[in-house]
Amino acid sequence: MQEERRKEVLKRLSYIEGHVAGIRKMVEEDKYCVDILRQTYAVRKSLEKLEKIVLEGHLQTCVPEGIRGNREEAVIQELVQLYDIAGNR
């Protein structure tokens, strides 16, 4: 992972961790369910942004390197697995 991208990913992870801790506190304090759900939706969106950043980096660096390194089939299989995991099949 490129250093600039790694820094951005770590920053986003810290934000997500703090947000999840806030949700835990809301649950412990028996806050209104809709307010809790709004926060969980925000975390989900943050995770989606994080995934996009990591995937873009992978497609820009690791995939071309793998293809140049004669790992075409392995690279393709990894991408198909990610596609499946993401629920796109």
Side-chain angles (χ1 to χ4, degrees):
M1 188 178 291
Q2 299 162 328
E3 188 59 32
E4 185 176 317
R5 191 172 304 272
R6 180 187 332 273
K7 287 178 183 178
E8 186 175 356
V9 166
L10 290 171
K11 178 179 146 184
R12 287 188 177 276
L13 283 170
S14 292
Y15 169 78
I16 292 166
E17 289 169 351
H19 214 123
V20 170
I23 294 169
R24 173 183 291 277
K25 184 176 179 186
M26 290 176 74
V27 171
E28 290 170 349
E29 295 174 354
D30 198 28
K31 297 295 183 182
Y32 187 55
C33 296
V34 172
D35 293 337
I36 294 169
L37 288 169
R38 285 187 182 119
Q39 296 307 309
T40 63
Y41 297 151
V43 168
R44 185 178 314 152
K45 288 295 183 187
S46 295
L47 283 170
E48 289 172 1
K49 288 178 186 177
L50 174 72
E51 290 169 344
K52 180 179 185 272
I53 293 166
V54 174
L55 180 59
E56 284 177 351
H58 183 67
L59 293 172
Q60 292 173 354
T61 58
C62 301
V63 169
E65 289 172 11
I67 291 172
R68 284 192 299 268
N70 294 322
R71 294 185 52 247
E72 299 95 350
E73 189 58 36
V75 168
I76 290 169
Q77 288 305 311
E78 288 173 345
L79 293 174
V80 169
Q81 288 173 350
L82 287 175
Y83 188 78
D84 288 344
I85 291 169
N88 295 313
R89 273 204 175 178

Coordinates of all heavy atoms in Angstrom, one line a residue:
M1 N 0.9 -1.2 0.0 CA 0.0 0.0 0.0 C 0.9 1.2 0.0 O 1.8 1.3 0.8 CB -0.9 0.0 1.2 CG -2.0 1.0 1.2 SD -3.1 1.0 2.7 CE -4.0 -0.5 2.3
Q2 N 0.6 2.2 -0.8 CA 1.3 3.4 -0.9 C 1.2 4.2 0.4 O 0.1 4.1 1.1 CB 0.8 4.3 -2.1 CG 0.9 3.6 -3.4 CD 0.0 4.3 -4.4 OE1 -1.1 4.8 -4.1 NE2 0.5 4.3 -5.7
E3 N 2.3 4.9 0.8 CA 2.3 5.5 2.1 C 1.2 6.5 2.3 O 0.6 6.5 3.4 CB 3.7 6.2 2.3 CG 3.9 6.7 3.7 CD 3.8 5.6 4.8 OE1 4.1 4.5 4.5 OE2 3.3 6.0 5.9
E4 N 0.9 7.3 1.3 CA -0.2 8.3 1.5 C -1.5 7.7 1.7 O -2.3 8.1 2.5 CB -0.2 9.2 0.2 CG -1.2 10.4 0.3 CD -1.1 11.3 -0.9 OE1 0.0 11.6 -1.3 OE2 -2.2 11.6 -1.4
R5 N -1.7 6.6 0.9 CA -3.0 5.8 1.0 C -3.1 5.2 2.4 O -4.1 5.2 3.0 CB -3.1 4.8 -0.1 CG -4.5 4.2 -0.2 CD -4.5 3.3 -1.4 NE -4.2 4.0 -2.7 CZ -5.1 4.6 -3.4 NH1 -6.4 4.7 -3.1 NH2 -4.7 5.2 -4.5
R6 N -1.9 4.6 2.9 CA -1.9 4.0 4.2 C -2.3 5.0 5.3 O -3.1 4.7 6.2 CB -0.5 3.4 4.5 CG -0.4 2.7 5.8 CD 1.0 2.3 6.2 NE 1.9 2.0 5.1 CZ 2.0 0.8 4.5 NH1 1.2 -0.2 4.9 NH2 2.8 0.6 3.5
K7 N -1.8 6.2 5.2 CA -2.1 7.2 6.2 C -3.6 7.5 6.2 O -4.2 7.7 7.2 CB -1.3 8.5 5.9 CG 0.2 8.4 6.3 CD 0.9 9.6 6.0 CE 2.4 9.5 6.3 NZ 3.2 10.7 5.9
E8 N -4.1 7.7 5.0 CA -5.6 8.0 4.9 C -6.4 6.8 5.4 O -7.4 7.0 6.1 CB -6.0 8.2 3.4 CG -7.4 8.7 3.2 CD -7.7 9.0 1.8 OE1 -6.8 9.0 0.9 OE2 -8.9 9.3 1.6
V9 N -6.0 5.6 5.1 CA -6.7 4.4 5.6 C -6.7 4.4 7.2 O -7.7 4.2 7.8 CB -6.2 3.1 5.0 CG1 -6.7 1.9 5.8 CG2 -6.6 3.0 3.5
L10 N -5.5 4.6 7.7 CA -5.4 4.6 9.2 C -6.2 5.7 9.8 O -6.8 5.5 10.9 CB -3.9 4.7 9.6 CG -3.1 3.4 9.3 CD1 -1.6 3.7 9.5 CD2 -3.5 2.3 10.1
K11 N -6.2 6.9 9.2 CA -7.0 8.0 9.7 C -8.5 7.6 9.7 O -9.2 7.8 10.7 CB -6.8 9.2 8.8 CG -7.6 10.4 9.2 CD -7.2 11.6 8.3 CE -8.4 12.4 8.0 NZ -8.1 13.5 7.0
R12 N -9.0 7.0 8.6 CA -10.4 6.6 8.6 C -10.7 5.5 9.6 O -11.7 5.5 10.2 CB -10.7 6.1 7.1 CG -10.8 7.3 6.2 CD -11.3 6.8 4.8 NE -11.5 8.0 4.0 CZ -12.5 8.8 3.9 NH1 -13.5 8.6 4.7 NH2 -12.6 9.8 3.1
L13 N -9.8 4.6 9.8 CA -10.0 3.5 10.8 C -10.1 4.1 12.2 O -10.9 3.7 12.9 CB -8.8 2.5 10.7 CG -8.9 1.5 9.6 CD1 -7.6 0.7 9.5 CD2 -10.1 0.6 9.7
S14 N -9.3 5.1 12.5 CA -9.4 5.8 13.8 C -10.7 6.4 14.0 O -11.3 6.3 15.0 CB -8.3 6.8 13.9 OG -7.0 6.2 14.0
Y15 N -11.2 7.1 12.9 CA -12.5 7.7 12.9 C -13.6 6.6 13.2 O -14.5 6.8 14.0 CB -12.7 8.4 11.6 CG -14.2 8.9 11.5 CD1 -14.6 10.0 12.1 CD2 -15.1 8.2 10.6 CE1 -16.0 10.4 12.0 CE2 -16.4 8.6 10.5 CZ -16.8 9.7 11.2 OH -18.1 10.1 11.0
I16 N -13.5 5.5 12.4 CA -14.5 4.5 12.6 C -14.5 3.9 14.0 O -15.5 3.7 14.6 CB -14.3 3.4 11.5 CG1 -14.6 4.0 10.1 CG2 -15.1 2.2 11.8 CD1 -14.1 3.1 8.9
E17 N -13.3 3.6 14.5 CA -13.2 3.1 15.9 C -13.8 4.0 16.9 O -14.5 3.6 17.8 CB -11.7 2.9 16.2 CG -11.1 1.7 15.5 CD -9.5 1.7 15.6 OE1 -8.9 2.6 16.1 OE2 -9.0 0.7 15.2
G18 N -13.6 5.3 16.7 CA -14.2 6.3 17.7 C -15.7 6.3 17.5 O -16.4 6.4 18.5
H19 N -16.1 6.2 16.3 CA -17.6 6.2 16.0 C -18.2 5.0 16.7 O -19.3 5.1 17.3 CB -17.8 6.3 14.5 CG -19.0 7.0 14.1 ND1 -19.0 8.1 13.3 CD2 -20.3 6.9 14.5 CE1 -20.2 8.6 13.1 NE2 -21.0 7.9 13.9
V20 N -17.6 3.8 16.5 CA -18.2 2.6 17.1 C -18.2 2.7 18.6 O -19.1 2.3 19.3 CB -17.4 1.4 16.6 CG1 -17.8 0.1 17.3 CG2 -17.6 1.2 15.1
A21 N -17.1 3.3 19.2 CA -17.1 3.4 20.6 C -18.2 4.4 21.1 O -18.9 4.1 22.1 CB -15.7 4.0 21.1
G22 N -18.5 5.4 20.3 CA -19.7 6.3 20.6 C -21.0 5.5 20.5 O -21.9 5.8 21.3
I23 N -21.1 4.6 19.6 CA -22.3 3.8 19.5 C -22.5 2.9 20.7 O -23.6 2.8 21.2 CB -22.4 3.0 18.2 CG1 -22.4 4.0 17.0 CG2 -23.5 2.0 18.1 CD1 -22.2 3.3 15.6
R24 N -21.4 2.3 21.1 CA -21.4 1.5 22.3 C -21.9 2.3 23.5 O -22.8 1.8 24.2 CB -20.0 0.9 22.6 CG -20.0 0.1 23.9 CD -18.6 -0.4 24.2 NE -18.2 -1.4 23.3 CZ -18.5 -2.7 23.5 NH1 -19.3 -3.1 24.5 NH2 -18.1 -3.6 22.6
K25 N -21.4 3.5 23.6 CA -21.8 4.3 24.7 C -23.3 4.7 24.6 O -24.0 4.6 25.7 CB -21.0 5.6 24.8 CG -21.3 6.5 25.9 CD -20.3 7.7 25.9 CE -20.7 8.6 27.1 NZ -19.9 9.8 27.2
M26 N -23.8 4.9 23.4 CA -25.2 5.2 23.2 C -26.0 4.0 23.7 O -27.1 4.2 24.3 CB -25.5 5.5 21.8 CG -24.9 6.8 21.3 SD -25.2 7.1 19.5 CE -27.0 7.5 19.6
V27 N -25.6 2.8 23.3 CA -26.3 1.6 23.7 C -26.3 1.5 25.3 O -27.3 1.2 25.9 CB -25.8 0.4 23.0 CG1 -26.4 -0.9 23.6 CG2 -26.0 0.4 21.5
E28 N -25.1 1.6 25.8 CA -25.0 1.5 27.3 C -25.9 2.5 28.0 O -26.4 2.2 29.1 CB -23.5 1.7 27.7 CG -22.6 0.6 27.3 CD -21.2 0.8 27.5 OE1 -20.8 2.0 27.7 OE2 -20.4 -0.1 27.3
E29 N -26.0 3.7 27.4 CA -26.9 4.7 28.0 C -28.3 4.7 27.6 O -29.1 5.5 27.9 CB -26.3 6.1 27.7 CG -24.9 6.4 28.3 CD -24.3 7.6 27.8 OE1 -24.8 8.3 26.9 OE2 -23.2 8.0 28.3
D30 N -28.7 3.6 26.9 CA -30.0 3.3 26.4 C -30.6 4.5 25.7 O -31.7 4.9 25.9 CB -30.9 3.0 27.7 CG -32.2 2.3 27.3 OD1 -32.2 1.6 26.2 OD2 -33.2 2.4 28.0
K31 N -29.8 5.0 24.7 CA -30.3 6.1 23.8 C -31.4 5.6 22.9 O -31.5 4.4 22.7 CB -29.1 6.7 23.1 CG -28.1 7.3 23.9 CD -28.6 8.5 24.7 CE -27.5 9.2 25.5 NZ -27.9 10.3 26.2
Y32 N -32.0 6.5 22.2 CA -33.1 6.2 21.3 C -32.6 5.4 20.2 O -31.6 5.7 19.5 CB -33.7 7.5 20.8 CG -35.0 7.4 20.0 CD1 -36.1 6.8 20.5 CD2 -35.0 8.0 18.8 CE1 -37.2 6.7 19.7 CE2 -36.2 8.0 18.0 CZ -37.3 7.3 18.5 OH -38.4 7.2 17.7
C33 N -33.4 4.3 19.8 CA -32.9 3.3 18.8 C -32.7 4.0 17.5 O -31.7 3.6 16.8 CB -34.0 2.2 18.7 SG -34.2 1.2 20.1
V34 N -33.5 4.9 17.1 CA -33.3 5.5 15.8 C -32.0 6.3 15.7 O -31.3 6.3 14.7 CB -34.5 6.4 15.4 CG1 -34.3 7.3 14.2 CG2 -35.8 5.6 15.3
D35 N -31.7 6.9 16.8 CA -30.4 7.7 16.9 C -29.2 6.7 16.8 O -28.2 7.0 16.1 CB -30.3 8.5 18.2 CG -31.3 9.6 18.2 OD1 -31.7 10.1 17.1 OD2 -31.6 10.1 19.3
I36 N -29.3 5.6 17.4 CA -28.3 4.5 17.3 C -28.1 4.1 15.9 O -27.0 3.9 15.3 CB -28.5 3.4 18.3 CG1 -28.4 3.9 19.7 CG2 -27.6 2.2 18.0 CD1 -28.9 2.9 20.8
L37 N -29.3 3.8 15.3 CA -29.3 3.3 13.9 C -28.7 4.3 12.9 O -27.9 4.0 12.0 CB -30.7 2.9 13.4 CG -31.2 1.6 14.1 CD1 -32.7 1.5 13.8 CD2 -30.4 0.4 13.6
R38 N -28.9 5.6 13.1 CA -28.3 6.6 12.3 C -26.8 6.6 12.4 O -26.1 6.7 11.4 CB -28.8 8.0 12.7 CG -30.2 8.3 12.3 CD -30.6 9.8 12.6 NE -32.0 10.0 12.2 CZ -32.9 10.4 13.1 NH1 -32.7 10.6 14.4 NH2 -34.2 10.6 12.7
Q39 N -26.3 6.3 13.6 CA -24.9 6.2 13.7 C -24.3 5.0 13.1 O -23.2 5.0 12.5 CB -24.5 6.3 15.2 CG -24.9 7.6 15.9 CD -24.4 8.8 15.2 OE1 -23.2 8.9 14.9 NE2 -25.2 9.8 14.8
T40 N -25.0 3.9 13.2 CA -24.5 2.6 12.6 C -24.5 2.8 11.1 O -23.6 2.3 10.4 CB -25.3 1.4 13.0 OG1 -26.7 1.5 12.5 CG2 -25.3 1.2 14.5
Y41 N -25.5 3.5 10.5 CA -25.5 3.7 9.1 C -24.3 4.6 8.7 O -23.7 4.4 7.6 CB -26.8 4.4 8.6 CG -28.0 3.6 8.8 CD1 -29.3 4.2 9.1 CD2 -28.0 2.2 8.8 CE1 -30.4 3.4 9.3 CE2 -29.1 1.4 9.0 CZ -30.3 2.0 9.2 OH -31.5 1.3 9.4
A42 N -24.0 5.6 9.5 CA -22.8 6.4 9.2 C -21.5 5.6 9.2 O -20.6 5.8 8.4 CB -22.7 7.5 10.3
V43 N -21.4 4.7 10.2 CA -20.2 3.8 10.2 C -20.2 2.9 9.0 O -19.1 2.7 8.4 CB -20.2 2.9 11.5 CG1 -19.2 1.8 11.4 CG2 -20.0 3.8 12.7
R44 N -21.3 2.4 8.6 CA -21.3 1.6 7.3 C -20.8 2.4 6.1 O -20.0 1.9 5.3 CB -22.7 1.1 7.1 CG -22.8 0.1 5.9 CD -24.1 -0.5 5.6 NE -24.8 -0.9 6.9 CZ -26.1 -1.0 7.0 NH1 -26.9 -0.6 6.0 NH2 -26.6 -1.4 8.1
K45 N -21.3 3.6 6.0 CA -20.8 4.4 4.9 C -19.3 4.7 5.0 O -18.6 4.7 4.0 CB -21.6 5.8 4.9 CG -23.0 5.6 4.4 CD -23.0 5.2 3.0 CE -24.5 5.1 2.5 NZ -24.5 4.5 1.1
S46 N -18.8 4.9 6.2 CA -17.4 5.1 6.4 C -16.6 3.9 6.0 O -15.5 4.0 5.4 CB -17.1 5.5 7.9 OG -17.7 6.7 8.2
L47 N -17.1 2.7 6.3 CA -16.5 1.5 5.9 C -16.4 1.3 4.4 O -15.5 0.9 3.8 CB -17.1 0.3 6.6 CG -16.8 0.0 8.1 CD1 -17.7 -1.0 8.6 CD2 -15.3 -0.4 8.2
E48 N -17.5 1.7 3.8 CA -17.6 1.6 2.3 C -16.6 2.5 1.7 O -15.9 2.2 0.7 CB -19.0 2.0 1.8 CG -20.0 0.9 2.1 CD -21.5 1.3 1.8 OE1 -21.7 2.4 1.3 OE2 -22.4 0.5 2.1
K49 N -16.4 3.7 2.2 CA -15.4 4.7 1.7 C -14.0 4.1 1.9 O -13.1 4.2 1.0 CB -15.5 6.0 2.4 CG -16.7 6.8 2.0 CD -16.7 8.1 2.8 CE -18.0 8.9 2.5 NZ -18.1 10.1 3.3
L50 N -13.8 3.5 3.1 CA -12.5 2.8 3.4 C -12.2 1.7 2.4 O -11.1 1.6 1.8 CB -12.5 2.3 4.8 CG -11.3 1.5 5.2 CD1 -10.1 2.4 5.4 CD2 -11.6 0.7 6.5
E51 N -13.2 0.9 2.1 CA -13.1 -0.2 1.1 C -12.7 0.3 -0.2 O -11.9 -0.2 -0.9 CB -14.3 -1.0 1.1 CG -14.6 -1.8 2.3 CD -16.0 -2.5 2.4 OE1 -16.9 -2.1 1.6 OE2 -16.2 -3.4 3.2
K52 N -13.4 1.4 -0.6 CA -13.1 2.0 -1.9 C -11.7 2.5 -2.0 O -11.0 2.2 -3.1 CB -14.1 3.2 -2.2 CG -13.9 3.9 -3.5 CD -14.9 5.0 -3.6 CE -14.8 5.6 -5.0 NZ -13.9 6.7 -5.1
I53 N -11.1 3.1 -1.0 CA -9.8 3.6 -1.0 C -8.8 2.4 -1.1 O -7.9 2.4 -1.9 CB -9.5 4.4 0.3 CG1 -10.3 5.7 0.3 CG2 -8.0 4.6 0.4 CD1 -10.3 6.4 1.6
V54 N -9.0 1.3 -0.4 CA -8.1 0.2 -0.4 C -8.2 -0.5 -1.7 O -7.2 -0.9 -2.3 CB -8.5 -0.8 0.8 CG1 -7.6 -2.1 0.6 CG2 -8.2 -0.1 2.1
L55 N -9.4 -0.7 -2.3 CA -9.6 -1.4 -3.5 C -9.0 -0.6 -4.7 O -8.3 -1.2 -5.5 CB -11.1 -1.6 -3.8 CG -11.4 -2.3 -5.2 CD1 -10.7 -3.7 -5.2 CD2 -12.9 -2.4 -5.3
E56 N -9.2 0.7 -4.7 CA -8.5 1.6 -5.7 C -7.0 1.4 -5.7 O -6.4 1.3 -6.7 CB -8.9 3.0 -5.6 CG -10.3 3.4 -6.0 CD -10.6 4.8 -5.8 OE1 -9.9 5.6 -5.1 OE2 -11.7 5.2 -6.2
G57 N -6.4 1.4 -4.5 CA -5.0 1.2 -4.4 C -4.6 -0.1 -4.9 O -3.6 -0.3 -5.6
H58 N -5.3 -1.2 -4.6 CA -5.0 -2.5 -5.0 C -5.1 -2.6 -6.5 O -4.2 -3.2 -7.2 CB -6.0 -3.5 -4.4 CG -5.7 -4.9 -4.7 ND1 -4.6 -5.6 -4.3 CD2 -6.4 -5.8 -5.5 CE1 -4.6 -6.8 -4.7 NE2 -5.7 -7.0 -5.5
L59 N -6.1 -2.0 -7.1 CA -6.2 -2.1 -8.6 C -5.2 -1.2 -9.3 O -4.7 -1.6 -10.4 CB -7.6 -1.5 -9.0 CG -8.8 -2.4 -8.6 CD1 -10.1 -1.7 -8.9 CD2 -8.7 -3.8 -9.2
Q60 N -4.7 -0.2 -8.6 CA -3.6 0.6 -9.2 C -2.2 0.1 -9.1 O -1.3 0.4 -9.9 CB -3.7 2.0 -8.7 CG -4.9 2.8 -9.1 CD -5.1 4.1 -8.4 OE1 -4.3 4.5 -7.5 NE2 -6.1 4.9 -8.8
T61 N -2.0 -0.7 -8.0 CA -0.6 -1.2 -7.7 C -0.5 -2.7 -7.8 O 0.2 -3.2 -8.6 CB -0.2 -0.6 -6.3 OG1 -1.1 -1.1 -5.3 CG2 -0.1 0.9 -6.3
C62 N -1.2 -3.4 -6.9 CA -1.0 -4.8 -6.8 C -1.4 -5.6 -8.0 O -0.8 -6.6 -8.4 CB -1.8 -5.3 -5.5 SG -1.2 -4.6 -4.0
V63 N -2.6 -5.2 -8.6 CA -3.1 -6.0 -9.7 C -2.1 -5.9 -10.9 O -1.7 -6.9 -11.5 CB -4.5 -5.5 -10.1 CG1 -4.9 -6.1 -11.5 CG2 -5.5 -5.9 -9.0
P64 N -1.6 -4.7 -11.3 CA -0.7 -4.6 -12.4 C 0.6 -5.3 -12.1 O 1.2 -6.0 -13.0 CB -0.4 -3.1 -12.6 CG -1.6 -2.4 -12.0 CD -2.1 -3.3 -10.9
E65 N 1.1 -5.2 -10.8 CA 2.3 -6.0 -10.5 C 2.1 -7.5 -10.6 O 3.0 -8.2 -11.0 CB 2.7 -5.6 -9.0 CG 3.3 -4.2 -8.9 CD 3.5 -3.8 -7.4 OE1 3.4 -4.6 -6.5 OE2 3.7 -2.6 -7.2
G66 N 1.0 -7.9 -10.1 CA 0.7 -9.4 -10.2 C 0.6 -9.9 -11.7 O 1.1 -10.9 -12.0
I67 N 0.0 -9.1 -12.5 CA -0.1 -9.4 -13.9 C 1.3 -9.4 -14.6 O 1.7 -10.4 -15.3 CB -1.1 -8.5 -14.7 CG1 -2.5 -8.8 -14.2 CG2 -1.0 -8.7 -16.2 CD1 -3.5 -7.9 -14.7
R68 N 2.1 -8.4 -14.3 CA 3.5 -8.4 -14.8 C 4.3 -9.5 -14.3 O 5.2 -9.9 -14.9 CB 4.1 -7.0 -14.5 CG 3.6 -5.9 -15.4 CD 4.5 -4.6 -15.2 NE 4.5 -4.1 -13.8 CZ 3.7 -3.2 -13.4 NH1 2.8 -2.7 -14.2 NH2 3.8 -2.8 -12.1
G69 N 4.0 -9.9 -13.1 CA 4.7 -11.0 -12.4 C 4.2 -12.4 -12.8 O 4.5 -13.4 -12.0
N70 N 3.5 -12.5 -13.8 CA 2.9 -13.8 -14.3 C 2.0 -14.5 -13.3 O 2.0 -15.7 -13.1 CB 4.1 -14.7 -14.7 CG 4.8 -14.2 -15.9 OD1 4.2 -13.7 -16.8 ND2 6.1 -14.4 -15.9
R71 N 1.2 -13.7 -12.6 CA 0.3 -14.2 -11.6 C -1.2 -13.9 -12.0 O -2.0 -13.7 -11.2 CB 0.5 -13.6 -10.2 CG 1.8 -14.0 -9.6 CD 2.0 -13.4 -8.1 NE 0.9 -13.8 -7.3 CZ 0.0 -12.9 -6.8 NH1 0.1 -11.6 -7.0 NH2 -1.0 -13.3 -6.0
E72 N -1.4 -13.8 -13.3 CA -2.7 -13.3 -13.9 C -3.8 -14.1 -13.3 O -4.8 -13.5 -12.8 CB -2.7 -13.5 -15.4 CG -1.7 -12.7 -16.1 CD -0.4 -13.5 -16.5 OE1 -0.2 -14.6 -16.0 OE2 0.4 -12.9 -17.2
E73 N -3.7 -15.4 -13.3 CA -4.8 -16.3 -12.8 C -5.1 -16.0 -11.3 O -6.3 -15.9 -10.9 CB -4.6 -17.7 -13.1 CG -5.8 -18.6 -12.9 CD -7.0 -18.3 -13.7 OE1 -6.9 -17.8 -14.9 OE2 -8.1 -18.4 -13.2
A74 N -4.1 -15.9 -10.5 CA -4.3 -15.7 -9.1 C -4.9 -14.3 -8.8 O -5.8 -14.2 -8.0 CB -2.9 -15.8 -8.4
V75 N -4.5 -13.3 -9.6 CA -5.0 -12.0 -9.4 C -6.5 -12.0 -9.8 O -7.3 -11.4 -9.1 CB -4.2 -11.0 -10.3 CG1 -4.9 -9.6 -10.4 CG2 -2.8 -10.8 -9.8
I76 N -6.8 -12.6 -10.9 CA -8.2 -12.7 -11.3 C -9.1 -13.4 -10.3 O -10.2 -13.0 -9.9 CB -8.3 -13.4 -12.7 CG1 -7.7 -12.5 -13.8 CG2 -9.8 -13.7 -13.0 CD1 -7.5 -13.1 -15.1
Q77 N -8.6 -14.5 -9.8 CA -9.3 -15.3 -8.7 C -9.5 -14.4 -7.5 O -10.6 -14.5 -6.9 CB -8.6 -16.6 -8.4 CG -8.7 -17.6 -9.5 CD -10.2 -17.9 -9.9 OE1 -11.0 -18.1 -9.0 NE2 -10.4 -17.8 -11.2
E78 N -8.5 -13.7 -7.1 CA -8.7 -12.8 -5.9 C -9.8 -11.8 -6.1 O -10.6 -11.5 -5.3 CB -7.4 -12.1 -5.6 CG -6.3 -12.9 -5.0 CD -5.0 -12.2 -4.9 OE1 -4.8 -11.1 -5.5 OE2 -4.1 -12.7 -4.2
L79 N -9.8 -11.2 -7.3 CA -10.8 -10.2 -7.7 C -12.2 -10.8 -7.7 O -13.2 -10.2 -7.2 CB -10.5 -9.5 -9.0 CG -9.2 -8.6 -8.9 CD1 -8.9 -8.1 -10.3 CD2 -9.4 -7.4 -7.9
V80 N -12.3 -12.0 -8.2 CA -13.6 -12.7 -8.3 C -14.1 -13.0 -6.9 O -15.2 -12.8 -6.5 CB -13.5 -14.0 -9.1 CG1 -14.8 -14.8 -8.9 CG2 -13.3 -13.6 -10.6
Q81 N -13.2 -13.4 -6.0 CA -13.5 -13.7 -4.6 C -14.0 -12.4 -3.9 O -15.0 -12.4 -3.2 CB -12.3 -14.2 -3.8 CG -12.0 -15.6 -4.2 CD -10.7 -16.1 -3.5 OE1 -9.9 -15.3 -2.9 NE2 -10.4 -17.4 -3.6
L82 N -13.3 -11.3 -4.1 CA -13.8 -10.0 -3.6 C -15.2 -9.6 -4.1 O -16.0 -9.2 -3.3 CB -12.8 -8.9 -3.9 CG -11.5 -8.9 -3.1 CD1 -10.5 -7.9 -3.7 CD2 -11.7 -8.8 -1.6
Y83 N -15.4 -9.8 -5.3 CA -16.7 -9.5 -5.9 C -17.8 -10.4 -5.3 O -18.8 -9.9 -4.9 CB -16.6 -9.8 -7.4 CG -17.8 -9.4 -8.2 CD1 -18.0 -8.1 -8.6 CD2 -18.7 -10.3 -8.7 CE1 -19.1 -7.7 -9.3 CE2 -19.8 -9.9 -9.4 CZ -20.0 -8.6 -9.7 OH -21.1 -8.2 -10.5
D84 N -17.5 -11.7 -5.1 CA -18.4 -12.6 -4.4 C -18.7 -12.1 -3.0 O -19.8 -12.1 -2.5 CB -17.9 -14.0 -4.4 CG -18.0 -14.6 -5.8 OD1 -18.7 -14.1 -6.7 OD2 -17.3 -15.7 -6.0
I85 N -17.6 -11.8 -2.2 CA -17.8 -11.4 -0.8 C -18.6 -10.2 -0.7 O -19.4 -10.0 0.2 CB -16.4 -11.2 -0.2 CG1 -15.7 -12.6 0.0 CG2 -16.5 -10.5 1.2 CD1 -14.2 -12.4 0.3
A86 N -18.4 -9.3 -1.7 CA -19.1 -8.0 -1.6 C -20.6 -8.2 -1.9 O -21.4 -7.2 -1.8 CB -18.5 -7.0 -2.6
G87 N -21.0 -9.4 -2.3 CA -22.4 -9.6 -2.5 C -22.9 -9.3 -3.9 O -24.1 -9.0 -4.1
N88 N -22.0 -9.3 -4.8 CA -22.3 -8.9 -6.2 C -22.7 -10.1 -7.1 O -22.8 -9.9 -8.3 CB -21.2 -8.1 -6.8 CG -21.0 -6.8 -6.1 OD1 -21.9 -6.1 -5.9 ND2 -19.8 -6.5 -5.8
R89 N -22.7 -11.3 -6.5 CA -23.1 -12.4 -7.3 C -24.3 -13.1 -6.7 O -24.5 -13.2 -5.5 CB -21.9 -13.4 -7.4 CG -21.1 -13.1 -8.6 CD -20.3 -14.3 -9.0 NE -19.6 -13.9 -10.2 CZ -18.8 -14.8 -10.8 NH1 -18.7 -16.0 -10.3 NH2 -18.1 -14.4 -11.8

